[in-house]
């Protein structure tokens, strides 16, 4: 179509062009011959100065009318048609775009319908659905209102409960206080009456329901040596101990016992912490237990020693306390009396008081170049290193070499040494504690 239009246009233009040239040719010929139509409408004259052969000229042409061929009417028509066609095309284009948009729209709607099939529900159904939705909405609204109410009620109840519990606690406290006051006055009355009329009852000591140590068991009437269960601190579990109920009035909780060398005392920190051995023969009660026992009451310590010559001595300390593991079971011991000598406070340089516990695997001693526990094969409150060590190796007789046996630095002839460089050995050692001021 387009090609055809252009072709027609081109042909018409070409025709017009050739005609106009033909006309011009005719005029030029007339001019050349000089005879043509008179007067000559075309005038040629010089204009301005000449420079050699070159002169400026001016030509005057008469007004010109060009006859266009009939075909030009066709061009006009064709152009109009083209314009009409153009408009048509534009319209079609636009409608096409609309179509496309519509199609897209439909596609979109289709996909939504896929997601929400309820759209295709017939009118009646959709009405029912609407009603149900409304119903549900109103229900939800009601529920949220009652939830809010419930929340408020809970809050006010909480407030009441708090007030009441406070009131109740006050009541309970008052009740307990008044009961305690009554009991106190009752006891006081009894005491007053007893002090004059019943001296036997007055002298009978209070019996503990929970035995903290062997002294409590003794007080409860148990007078035989043996293993008893104690609970020095209610916050910790109970454990068994060996009670000496006969020596020096009894009530002794035994911490350590050596008598036959059946138990190896070259042990780790953990072993010394938890205790080891056999309670009825040789053992270390355990640093945690010793701590609890010495923490629950002020304790005195009694150490009994016997060598293979049958010599028996003792050392007694009025204060004895072992700190907890965090403080490395630091020893506090003082107030010596006895016959064995105060080997725990031997000198300024050998003093076991306020020393930490050391084991072969944990060096807390004062000896910078090594571990006293490893060197002397035991756990003990080493200084740098020792003037006493009751956990040393059990030798069945005097021995030579490193002094790693049971040792008490103030024992007979120890400082002088035995003949031929022998070292003292001990047959029996015992460490035991009892509350300060305990009356058998
Ligand atoms: Ca050391």
């Amino acid at each position: 179509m387009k090609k055809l239009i252009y072709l027609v246009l081109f042909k018409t233009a070409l025709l017009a062009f050739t005609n106009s040239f033909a006309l011009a040719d005719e005029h030029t010929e007339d001019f050349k011959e000089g005879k043509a139509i008179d007067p000559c409408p075309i005038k040629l004259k010089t204009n301005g100065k000449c420079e050699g052969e070159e002169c400026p000229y001016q030509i005057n042409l008469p007004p010109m009318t060009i006859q266009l061929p009939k075909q030009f009417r066709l061009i006009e028509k064709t152009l109009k048609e083209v314009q009409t066609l153009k408009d048509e095309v534009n319209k079609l284009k636009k409608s096409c775009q609309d179509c496309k948009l519509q199609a897209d729209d439909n596609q979109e709607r289709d996909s939504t319908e896929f997601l929400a099939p309820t759209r295709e529900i017939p009118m009646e159904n959709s009405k029912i659905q609407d009603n149900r939705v409304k119903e549900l909405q109103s229900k939800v609204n009601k529920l949220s209102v009652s939830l809010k109410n419930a929340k408020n009620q809970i809050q006010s109840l909480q407030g009441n409960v708090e007030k009441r519990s406070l009131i109740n606690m006050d009541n309970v406290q008052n009740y307990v206080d008044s009961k305690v006051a009554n009991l106190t006055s009752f006891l006081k009355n009894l005491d007053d009456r007893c002090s004059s009329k019943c001296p036997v009852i007055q002298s009978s000591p209070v019996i503990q329901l929970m035995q903290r140590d062997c002294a409590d068991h003794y007080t409860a009437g148990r007078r035989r040596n043996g293993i008893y269960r104690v609970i020095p601190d209610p916050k910790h579990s109970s454990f068994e101990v060996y009670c000496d109920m006969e020596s020096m009035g009894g009530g002794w909780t035994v911490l350590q016992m050596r008598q036959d060398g059946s138990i190896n005392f070259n042990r780790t920190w953990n072993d010394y912490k938890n205790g080891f051995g056999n309670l009825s023969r040789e053992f270390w009660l355990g640093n945690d237990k010793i701590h609890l026992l010495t923490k629950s009451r002020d304790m005195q310590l009694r150490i009994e020693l016997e060598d293979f010559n049958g010599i028996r001595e003792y050392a007694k300390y009025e204060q004895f306390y072992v700190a907890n593991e965090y403080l490395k079971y630091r020893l506090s011991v003082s107030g010596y009396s006895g016959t064995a000598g105060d080997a725990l406070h031997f000198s300024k340089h050998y003093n076991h008081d306020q020393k930490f516990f050391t084991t072969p695997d944990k060096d807390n001693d004062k000896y910078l170049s090594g571990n006293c526990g490893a060197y002397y094969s035991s756990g003990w409150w080493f200084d740098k290193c020792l003037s006493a060590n009751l956990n040393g190796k059990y030798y069945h007789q005097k021995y030579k070499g490193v002094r790693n046996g049971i040792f008490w630095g103030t024992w007979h002839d120890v400082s002088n040494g035995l003949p031929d460089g022998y070292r003292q050995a001990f047959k029996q050692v015992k460490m035991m504690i009892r509350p300060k001021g305990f009356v058998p």
Side-chain angles (χ1 to χ4, degrees):
M1 182 79 167
K2 262 187 182 175
K3 272 183 183 175
L4 187 71
I5 293 159
Y6 286 137
L7 200 66
V8 173
L9 276 170
F10 179 69
K11 275 189 175 173
T12 331
L14 198 65
L15 206 65
F17 189 68
T18 36
N19 286 352
S20 71
F21 259 95
L23 279 172
D25 277 353
E26 268 170 37
H27 284 287
T28 327
E29 267 167 30
D30 288 350
F31 174 73
K32 257 195 268 180
E33 284 166 11
K35 52 172 179 183
I37 317 129
D38 207 22
C40 182
I42 298 167
K43 283 185 178 145
L44 182 72
K45 58 176 182 185
T46 54
N47 182 23
K49 283 181 182 175
C50 295
E51 289 172 15
E53 285 185 346
E54 287 177 1
C55 283
Y57 278 83
Q58 179 184 304
I59 189 162
N60 290 329
L61 291 169
M64 197 168 62
T65 310
I66 297 169
Q67 289 297 320
L68 289 172
K70 292 174 196 166
Q71 287 90 337
F72 258 95
R73 173 80 184 143
L74 195 67
I75 289 179
E76 206 181 333
K77 208 181 158 189
T78 316
L79 276 172
K80 270 188 182 169
E81 270 179 14
V82 166
Q83 189 54 47
T84 324
L85 276 170
K86 232 180 157 183
D87 290 344
E88 280 295 306
V89 166
N90 280 341
K91 266 188 196 170
L92 276 170
K93 248 187 175 176
K94 203 181 168 293
S95 64
C96 237
Q97 274 175 344
D98 286 352
C99 273
K100 208 189 162 207
L101 278 174
Q102 235 172 339
D104 288 350
D105 249 15
N106 285 344
Q107 213 175 351
E108 224 171 296
R109 199 175 299 155
D110 284 350
S111 60
T112 12
E113 272 171 7
F114 179 72
L115 286 170
T118 40
R119 278 200 179 195
E120 279 189 331
I121 290 168
M123 273 305 272
E124 264 183 57
N125 277 1
S126 79
K127 266 188 186 174
I128 292 166
Q129 291 283 355
D130 272 3
N131 285 341
R132 283 190 64 189
V133 166
K134 275 180 191 166
E135 236 174 82
L136 280 171
Q137 255 176 349
S138 80
K139 271 188 189 174
V140 165
N141 287 343
K142 275 182 195 169
L143 274 173
S144 81
V145 168
S146 43
L147 267 177
K148 268 182 200 168
N149 288 342
K151 202 185 161 191
N152 289 338
Q153 278 178 352
I154 286 168
Q155 274 173 346
S156 66
L157 276 173
Q158 256 179 345
N160 281 348
V161 165
E162 272 165 27
K163 273 182 205 166
R164 277 186 196 182
S165 69
L166 274 176
I167 292 162
N168 284 351
M169 278 313 291
D170 285 346
N171 284 347
V172 168
Q173 217 170 336
N174 289 338
Y175 178 77
V176 169
D177 283 350
S178 69
K179 284 287 165 193
V180 167
N182 283 348
L183 278 171
T184 314
S185 71
F186 180 71
L187 276 175
K188 202 174 173 292
N189 283 343
L190 270 179
D191 203 32
D192 289 345
R193 278 161 62 188
C194 279
S195 59
S196 53
K197 291 175 188 170
C198 13
V200 181
I201 295 169
Q202 189 195 17
S203 68
S204 146
V206 180
I207 293 166
Q208 284 276 325
L209 287 174
M210 309 269 279
Q211 277 75 41
R212 294 164 289 182
D213 48 39
C214 296
D216 278 349
H217 277 291
Y218 185 94
T219 308
R222 292 167 196 123
R223 304 293 153 83
R224 292 180 65 165
N225 290 348
I227 295 166
Y228 294 87
R229 186 158 282 276
V230 296
I231 179 156
D233 185 348
K235 290 197 289 285
H236 293 80
S237 38
S238 64
F239 53 88
E240 287 186 326
V241 293
Y242 185 85
C243 294
D244 183 337
M245 301 299 202
E246 291 164 10
S247 308
M248 312 298 299
W252 295 100
T253 306
V254 182
L255 306 183
Q256 187 252 32
M257 176 72 114
R258 314 292 300 274
Q259 56 186 346
D260 52 20
S262 58
I263 297 295
N264 175 21
F265 273 62
N266 190 2
R267 302 270 189 151
T268 62
W269 179 268
N270 226 37
D271 282 347
Y272 273 97
K273 169 188 165 72
N274 298 312
F276 56 84
N278 181 342
L279 279 180
S280 37
R281 288 183 74 183
E282 288 200 324
F283 65 90
W284 179 257
L285 183 60
N287 288 340
D288 280 342
K289 292 168 190 156
I290 295 173
H291 164 67
L292 290 177
L293 284 163
T294 57
K295 184 188 152 199
S296 91
R297 306 163 89 173
D298 286 340
M299 292 288 188
Q300 51 180 233
L301 170 72
R302 184 178 172 96
I303 294 167
E304 292 188 343
L305 294 137
E306 183 184 346
D307 66 15
F308 284 99
N309 298 321
I311 299 172
R312 300 179 70 165
E313 309 288 0
Y314 77 95
K316 197 176 153 196
Y317 293 90
E318 272 311 300
Q319 282 89 34
F320 174 71
Y321 173 71
V322 173
N324 62 19
E325 188 177 19
Y326 181 74
L327 295 170
K328 302 169 195 166
Y329 304 118
R330 189 181 54 213
L331 172 69
S332 298
V333 64
S334 60
Y336 168 82
S337 63
T339 58
D342 186 4
L344 292 179
H345 309 89
F346 186 81
S347 69
K348 201 180 168 187
H349 300 290
Y350 294 106
N351 185 351
H352 294 278
D353 184 32
Q354 300 304 318
K355 297 303 180 296
F356 299 122
F357 204 83
T358 286
T359 52
D361 61 334
K362 198 158 251 177
D363 184 352
N364 298 316
D365 61 42
K366 296 279 176 188
Y367 183 59
L368 297 177
S369 316
N371 180 335
C372 301
Y375 193 72
Y376 291 102
S377 311
S378 73
W380 190 248
W381 298 278
F382 286 105
D383 189 6
K384 59 178 184 186
C385 282
L386 71 150
S387 54
N389 174 19
L390 300 182
N391 289 339
K393 196 175 171 187
Y394 189 97
Y395 285 102
H396 292 266
Q397 57 189 337
K398 58 187 182 181
Y399 64 98
K400 280 184 172 178
V402 179
R403 185 184 272 135
N404 60 358
I406 297 167
F407 179 56
W408 194 253
T410 48
W411 198 256
H412 306 270
D413 297 330
V414 147
S415 48
N416 303 328
L418 298 175
D420 309 320
Y422 278 103
R423 302 192 184 282
Q424 181 77 49
F426 287 88
K427 187 184 171 193
Q428 191 166 11
V429 177
K430 195 155 107 186
M431 292 174 71
M432 50 195 191
I433 55 171
R434 191 167 70 178
K436 254 163 95 172
F438 172 82
V439 184

